[in-house]
Amino acid sequence: NAGVTQTPKFQVLKTGQSMTLQCAQDMNHEYMSWYRQDPGMGLRLIHYSVGAGITDQGEVPNGYNVSRSTTEDFPLRLLSAAPSQTSVYFCASSFKETQYFGPGTRLLVL
Amino acid sequence: GNSVTQMEGPVTLSEEAFLTINCTYTATGYPSLFWYVQYPGEGLQLLLKATKADDKGSNKGFEATYRKETTSFHLEKGSVQVSDSAVYFCALDDDRGSTLGRLYFGRGTQLTVWP
C-alpha cells in the first residue's frame, strides 16, 4: 500500500492565484481530513470528510474548499490564494482512532 | 471544548538522558489520547495511544499513561537517542470507539538530542 499520498510537495503561488492540493489514500478509509501546520500553532483542522459526498468544516475553513467524490481522493482547493495561507498542509485518513498522514505540501504565497 | 496543552520547547538533551514532555488536556466526554512524532521533513506518525483511564501506551521505548484524575498524558523515555530528535505532538480524539478520527493537537515540542 502507498498509504496517503500528496501532490505537489512544494508550490509557490502569487496572491490571487488558485490551485488544488491533491490527496489520495489506498486504505479504503472513510474519514479524511486536511490540516495546516504553522510554527508554534501545532496542526489545525481545515476540512474533513466522513465519507464520499460528505464534507464539513474544521477550525480554519475560510479560503478553502473541498469535495469528496470518491473514497480515495480528497482534494483541497484554494480559490484565491493569500499570503496568510503560506503553510505546510497535511492530509490524513483515519481508521479506528489512528490517523495516517501524508508527507505534506509546502505552500508559499507571495 | 476540547484542547491540548503541552510543554513548550525546544527541549535539548544529551544522549541517554531521561525525557519527559508534559501534556494536559480538556475534553468533553471520554477522549482517547495520542502522541504523534514528526521527523524532519516528514508527516506525522502515531507513536503511541491510550483509549481509557489508566491505560499505558508504549512504543520504541516511549511510554505515556492516561491519567484521568490529573487530565494528563505525559510522554517519557528513560534513555533518549540522537535518532529521537523530532517534534512531538500530544493529541486527543473525543470520538472514542468510532472510526472517525477528528484530532485536537497540542502545539508540538521540539526535541533535540546531542551525542
Side-chain angles (χ1 to χ4, degrees):
Chain A
N1 288 347
V4 179
T5 59
Q6 292 183 239
T7 56
K9 288 187 177 180
F10 303 97
Q11 184 70 49
V12 179
L13 291 179
K14 295 181 180 179
T15 297
Q17 287 185 316
S18 63
M19 80 160 295
T20 300
L21 280 65
Q22 300 293 343
C23 174
Q25 53 96 4
D26 61 359
M27 297 173 282
N28 203 34
H29 292 166
E30 293 294 328
Y31 184 97
M32 296 185 73
S33 52
W34 277 101
Y35 295 87
R36 59 178 289 173
Q37 183 180 27
D38 302 294
M41 298 294 292
L43 275 76
R44 293 181 291 170
L45 183 65
I46 304 171
H47 285 284
Y48 65 99
S49 168
V50 301
I54 306 170
T55 63
D56 206 347
Q57 297 180 351
E59 297 176 69
V60 288
N62 292 341
Y64 307 95
N65 283 346
V66 293
S67 60
R68 184 94 179 271
S69 57
T70 66
T71 299
E72 294 78 19
D73 300 301
F74 190 43
L76 178 72
R77 297 184 184 85
L78 286 71
L79 297 179
S80 179
S84 61
Q85 294 177 304
T86 293
S87 187
V88 181
Y89 291 86
F90 289 101
C91 178
S93 70
S94 177
F95 180 70
K96 289 190 177 180
E97 301 177 322
T98 298
Q99 292 211 354
Y100 300 84
F101 285 83
T105 294
R106 188 174 297 273
L107 177 66
L108 173 62
V109 183
L110 301 175
Chain B
N2 300 312
S3 66
V4 174
T5 303
Q6 60 182 104
M7 65 184 285
E8 294 188 13
V11 174
T12 303
L13 296 172
S14 298
E15 206 165 27
E16 300 184 1
F18 184 84
L19 169 70
T20 299
I21 301 177
N22 291 336
C23 172
T24 57
Y25 68 89
T26 302
T28 56
Y30 302 94
S32 295
L33 301 174
F34 307 83
W35 278 100
Y36 280 80
V37 58
Q38 183 180 30
Y39 298 104
E42 298 183 9
L44 280 70
Q45 305 172 25
L46 178 66
L47 180 60
L48 53 84
K49 68 179 181 182
T51 58
K52 62 182 186 295
D54 299 325
D55 269 2
K56 177 185 284 187
S58 61
N59 186 26
K60 299 181 180 180
F62 291 89
E63 294 183 339
T65 301
Y66 188 171
R67 302 288 188 198
K68 188 177 178 182
E69 63 275 14
T70 55
T71 62
S72 65
F73 192 56
H74 305 321
L75 182 68
E76 296 182 338
K77 186 175 186 182
S79 178
V80 294
Q81 305 300 312
V82 172
S83 58
D84 294 327
S85 298
V87 181
Y88 293 82
F89 292 91
C90 185
L92 71 83
D93 173 2
D94 62 359
D95 291 317
R96 184 176 170 215
S98 166
T99 58
L100 304 181
R102 179 170 179 171
L103 289 177
Y104 299 84
F105 285 91
R107 295 188 173 188
T109 301
Q110 172 75 56
L111 169 66
T112 301
V113 180
W114 296 98

